[in-house]
Amino acid sequence: RGVAGVEMALPVVEDNALAMFFNYQMPVTLKGVPNGYDSLTNIRGTIIDGKYLLDDGISQYSVIAIGPALSLNVRPDYLKMVSLYTPRRRGNINLANPATALRSDSVFVSGVFQIEQNKYDRNTMFVSIEMARRLFDYTTQATAVELRLAPGANEPAVMAALTDALGEQYVVKNRLMQQAEAFRMVNIE
């Protein structure tokens, strides 16, 4: 059921992965987002190279932060794919073949974004939610639901309504609460 004051809400799947491109590798925060995510956020406005594209019906793509782009030495339109590896969430690990403990997939890079917030620019990669669910072994679940409030909505009232509707097993946070550490550092400075 809807909560008054919420204009748009979309599920996301986010967890850690290992990204590899040629001899370069780095841990990344892999965020699987559904179609329409660019309508929820201003991701298109932060693209500094390439374009926002996650799937064209033929290939899978990623929009990556400036950090992974520099660390992996990758840019949009390269013909080689970035390999992604995640640990399996379920099942037994075969010690004779430890690679079976990992799930993997590959993506082309379609765009590079920079929002000048270290939390995101350092290691974030956006992929389709379908790819993230495969890699992290989810079916229909999400690790979070991101939303945009309607113009003029009362944020504390919406947060209270969401908390009541969802129950105590869910955590409802606004942007300030999600980035509490960054805001604490700004206040200290």
Side-chain angles (χ1 to χ4, degrees):
R1 71 177 196 212
V3 171
V6 175
E7 183 176 307
M8 181 180 218
L10 294 173
V12 297
V13 173
E14 183 175 337
D15 209 334
N16 297 317
L18 178 67
M20 295 179 68
F21 187 74
F22 286 106
N23 293 328
Y24 302 98
Q25 61 183 346
M26 74 173 289
V28 295
T29 299
L30 195 63
K31 187 168 188 171
V33 298
N35 291 335
Y37 188 77
D38 55 322
S39 298
L40 179 70
T41 66
N42 184 30
I43 186 73
R44 287 185 190 272
T46 65
I47 302 288
I48 59 171
D49 189 11
K51 61 186 174 189
Y52 180 84
L53 173 69
L54 300 180
D55 191 329
D56 65 2
I58 299 168
S59 298
Q60 299 174 107
Y61 296 88
S62 177
V63 175
I64 67 173
I66 187 72
L70 294 173
S71 294
L72 296 172
N73 198 27
V74 65
R75 293 198 52 214
D77 302 323
Y78 279 9
L79 296 178
K80 182 160 173 39
M81 299 176 98
V82 175
S83 298
L84 300 169
Y85 298 91
T86 62
R88 288 187 184 273
R89 288 188 329 122
R90 301 175 230 225
N92 296 326
I93 297 172
N94 180 351
L95 295 177
N97 186 5
T100 61
L102 301 173
R103 289 184 177 271
S104 64
D105 210 335
S106 298
V107 291
F108 290 109
V109 172
S110 65
V112 176
F113 72 91
Q114 182 175 13
I115 59 174
E116 298 185 18
Q117 289 185 25
N118 190 42
K119 176 181 177 181
Y120 302 105
D121 289 345
R122 181 185 49 205
N123 66 352
T124 303
M125 290 183 71
F126 289 99
V127 296
S128 71
I129 194 166
E130 294 82 14
M131 173 183 257
R133 283 179 171 154
R134 277 193 311 275
L135 283 168
F136 297 123
D137 200 19
Y138 290 112
T139 52
T140 59
Q141 303 94 326
T143 58
V145 176
E146 295 185 9
L147 54 92
R148 179 176 61 222
L149 297 184
N154 180 314
E155 182 181 290
V158 172
M159 289 179 67
L162 286 169
T163 301
D164 288 344
L166 295 171
E168 292 181 12
Q169 68 270 26
Y170 293 95
V171 177
V172 177
K173 292 182 178 181
N174 63 15
R175 183 173 295 168
L176 183 65
M177 296 164 126
Q178 292 174 38
Q179 298 174 1
E181 185 176 316
F183 286 111
R184 213 175 4 258
M185 292 302 290
V186 169
N187 287 334
I188 290 171
E189 289 179 11

